[in-house]
Amino acid sequence: MASVDGIAELHMAGTRATFTLRRGAKLGRDEVADAFAERGMKLESLDTIQRPRAKAVYRLGAGVG
């Protein structure tokens, strides 16, 4: 997924991937499904949600690694 053109940020949590597109980028379902397939995974669902930009971002280190 990180190599898909147009993705600005990617967050993985268990079986869920959440990503933010770069401004003006367009990404189709087939492109996302192909990116998952390249890693041996299957895309189960894809939803588009528009939200206002965050006023702040907090990055926390869990100390696991």
Side-chain angles (χ1 to χ4, degrees):
M1 289 289 300
S3 63
V4 175
D5 288 336
I7 292 181
E9 288 189 41
L10 172 67
H11 303 279
M12 300 286 295
T15 60
R16 177 174 291 177
T18 303
F19 55 89
T20 304
L21 294 178
R22 288 190 186 110
R23 187 175 300 267
K26 301 219 186 266
L27 188 61
R29 180 181 175 80
D30 291 341
E31 292 171 279
V32 176
D34 290 347
F36 273 90
E38 287 175 8
R39 300 287 185 187
M41 299 183 293
K42 179 182 172 191
L43 177 65
E44 292 292 333
S45 65
L46 178 66
D47 295 316
T48 301
I49 299 172
Q50 300 244 353
R51 294 190 176 150
R53 290 264 176 213
K55 293 180 181 179
V57 175
Y58 299 94
R59 299 198 187 267
L60 305 173
V64 178

